[in-house]
Amino acid sequence: MDKEHYLDNAATTPLSPGVLDLIETVLRDVYGNPSSLHRKGQEAEAYLKRAREQVAKVLMAPPEAIYFTSCATESINSALKGAARRMGKRGRHILTGTGEHAATVETLKALEDQGFEVEEIGCDKEGTTSLESLEKKLRPDTILVTSMQVNNETGCLQPVEDMARIIKKYNPDILFHVDATQGFAKYPLFPESCGIDLLSASGHKINGPKGIGFLYMRRGLHLPELILGGGQEGHFRSGTENVAYIAGLGEAAQQMWDDHAAITSRMMRLKLDFVRELLETVPQIHVNGPAVDKAAAHIVNLQVENVRSEVLLHALEDENVFISSGSACSSNHPERKSRPLAAIGKSPKEIDESFRVSLGRFTTKEDMDSCLHALQKEIPLLRRFVRR
Ligand code: PLP
């Protein structure tokens, strides 16, 4: 079979070989229950401890602040619902970034149904959160603010450290949650030192396994436990821990973080060359969101005039190149198909014509060239069938 060129790393990443080896070893040999008092239990517990330290190191946080979960979605749900439950008596007002992931949007909708008032912070035409708007919208009854670190569709980097400063200056009791799923271990973010109370991320975006994530919870902040049982994870999330995947997440975090500056600058160079050549050789293509060099290194979102991205995606798939269009959804609901693009004023047609190329640690020049050549070939062909 021809070589595959996987450029959908913002959706998920392939396992790093070192992580796979570790998971195999733990699954096979480290089968004790970490809560057991005997040697086999202690052996498993040591893997949990190491992984907690590896994740904590990336955030420059104490290991006790890390709670393992099944994914970022679970962490986000736990953080937002837990914060609302904890703070609900003080106020009902919640602020959110625009173009957030469904994990946040749907959780906030559920909180609205319970009587909380959810309001979006404004953003500029590239999708960057407006600090002025944040300052204006904070209120005495605001209890929670939530924002992404890196937008998963446009790569827009949000000013979360500045947001934390503004929020905490206004009222240190307001909780600030950051969805760091796309930025964790790639971009430095130290929650304890900048005033972020809660932070969510998952393993599968950093060449770790799927089905494992974590929530950072500031020391001293005790959100109500959502899963009751044997008291694992500091009573926050009961249930016997997935030791192998937790070990894999820890290892993946360390591998990415140890080399993050080199990895992100390599991805940025590959992305810049790719976009420059594409724009030079194929007409009527536009970059959505921030300028290519201002967005996160691993993401670029492009609009190809008069070509539906879903059709383009499948044409590229036939060439063994894998990219992504917004989630499949009715084109009558562009905001559901891509909230970030709708938030920056893209029309339903423009959203329909937009796709994302996302790079990873193992992306090569050959992958980018294959994608470029496939686009150079397929776009003119597909444009011949445009209904006018
Ligand atoms: N938040 C962002 C920004 C994401 O990109 C994703 C995954 O696509 C999630 C949350 C959900 O992550 P998970 O699949 O680990 O639950």
Side-chain angles (χ1 to χ4, degrees):
M1 197 172 94
D2 285 349
K3 201 160 174 256
E4 293 182 341
H5 303 286
Y6 182 75
L7 292 168
D8 197 11
N9 289 275
T12 197
T13 55
L15 271 184
S16 136
V19 171
L20 178 59
D21 287 349
L22 177 66
I23 291 174
E24 261 188 321
T25 304
V26 177
L27 278 175
R28 190 179 50 240
D29 302 333
V30 189
Y31 50 81
N33 186 322
S35 298
S36 295
L37 296 178
H38 49 65
R39 201 172 68 237
K40 290 306 288 178
Q42 286 169 8
E43 194 179 278
E45 171 61 26
Y47 276 89
L48 293 188
K49 182 168 180 285
R50 178 171 159 73
R52 214 179 299 281
E53 286 166 358
Q54 285 169 314
V55 170
K57 192 172 171 205
V58 177
L59 300 174
M60 286 215 322
E64 315 84 78
I66 306 302
Y67 297 83
F68 292 113
T69 63
S70 67
C71 57
T73 299
E74 184 191 320
S75 304
I76 293 166
N77 270 259
S78 305
L80 302 184
K81 290 178 190 167
R85 254 173 78 186
R86 162 92 343 137
M87 305 284 288
K89 286 206 176 72
R90 285 207 207 153
R92 314 291 282 177
H93 183 235
I94 299 173
L95 287 174
T96 173
T98 43
E100 294 287 311
H101 189 270
T104 296
V105 174
E106 296 302 321
T107 306
L108 292 179
K109 269 190 208 157
L111 290 174
E112 270 182 324
D113 292 343
Q114 293 170 25
F116 288 90
E117 180 189 343
V118 177
E119 201 182 347
E120 281 192 353
I121 310 164
C123 66
D124 66 15
K125 62 181 187 344
E126 295 176 346
T128 310
T129 297
S130 153
L131 298 176
E132 220 174 47
S133 166
L134 170 65
E135 255 171 337
K136 278 196 193 130
K137 292 193 171 185
L138 284 166
R139 301 192 325 211
D141 63 337
T142 306
I143 52 164
L144 171 67
V145 181
T146 185
S147 168
M148 280 175 171
Q149 177 192 14
V150 173
N151 189 283
N152 53 311
E153 290 190 39
T154 62
C156 184
L157 289 152
Q158 297 299 358
V160 287
E161 284 151 312
D162 292 333
M163 291 175 76
R165 190 176 36 75
I166 290 169
I167 294 162
K168 294 296 167 177
K169 189 171 161 214
Y170 180 83
N171 177 359
D173 291 338
I174 297 173
L175 295 180
F176 184 32
H177 168 259
V178 172
D179 171 3
T181 312
Q182 290 292 342
F184 173 68
K186 297 176 194 132
Y187 288 95
L189 184 60
F190 309 129
E192 203 173 63
S193 64
C194 74
I196 292 167
D197 302 287
L198 296 152
L199 180 148
S200 300
S202 66
H204 69 109
K205 311 286 188 186
I206 52 168
N207 309 100
K210 295 167 188 55
I212 195 75
F214 71 87
L215 175 67
Y216 159 87
M217 196 190 313
R218 168 174 59 73
R219 272 181 302 182
L221 170 64
H222 299 289
L223 293 189
E225 55 282 348
L226 293 173
I227 301 184
L228 301 170
Q232 289 89 345
E233 293 301 294
H235 290 272
F236 184 65
R237 184 184 190 266
S238 287
T240 303
E241 298 89 341
N242 187 343
V243 181
Y245 279 19
I246 290 173
L249 164 60
E251 183 61 25
Q254 178 169 342
Q255 285 185 9
M256 185 67 86
W257 180 242
D258 280 354
D259 226 6
H260 73 276
I263 293 169
T264 49
S265 67
R266 216 185 111 263
M267 292 192 298
M268 182 61 92
R269 273 198 311 277
L270 287 174
K271 180 179 78 162
L272 287 171
D273 288 348
F274 163 79
V275 176
R276 187 179 28 77
E277 272 207 59
L278 183 66
L279 297 186
E280 274 170 17
T281 52
V282 186
Q284 296 175 305
I285 300 190
H286 313 282
V287 175
N288 290 323
V292 191
D293 60 335
K294 297 285 181 295
H298 64 298
I299 297 177
V300 63
N301 198 302
L302 298 159
Q303 182 218 343
V304 179
E305 282 182 37
N306 296 320
V307 177
R308 290 190 54 228
S309 58
E310 262 176 64
V311 179
L312 183 62
L313 179 149
H314 291 301
L316 261 61
E317 184 183 356
D318 289 342
E319 313 252 346
N320 266 330
V321 173
F322 301 93
I323 57 160
S324 144
S325 64
S327 58
C329 201
S330 159
S331 53
N332 296 333
H333 297 284
E335 76 289 353
R336 268 193 243 154
K337 188 162 180 178
S338 173
R339 284 183 206 89
L341 296 186
I344 56 175
K346 298 292 165 189
S347 68
K349 180 173 182 292
E350 287 168 330
I351 293 176
D352 232 28
E353 296 171 347
S354 294
F355 68 97
R356 175 185 71 188
V357 174
S358 55
L359 296 77
R361 196 174 133 206
F362 301 120
T363 300
T364 61
K365 171 98 173 73
E366 190 195 338
D367 294 325
M368 299 310 286
D369 285 347
S370 300
C371 182
L372 176 69
H373 298 147
L375 288 167
Q376 288 168 332
K377 177 180 152 196
E378 296 297 339
I379 291 171
L381 287 177
L382 293 172
R383 276 184 175 150
R384 291 201 336 231
F385 302 111
V386 175
R387 267 184 266 142
R388 295 188 194 270

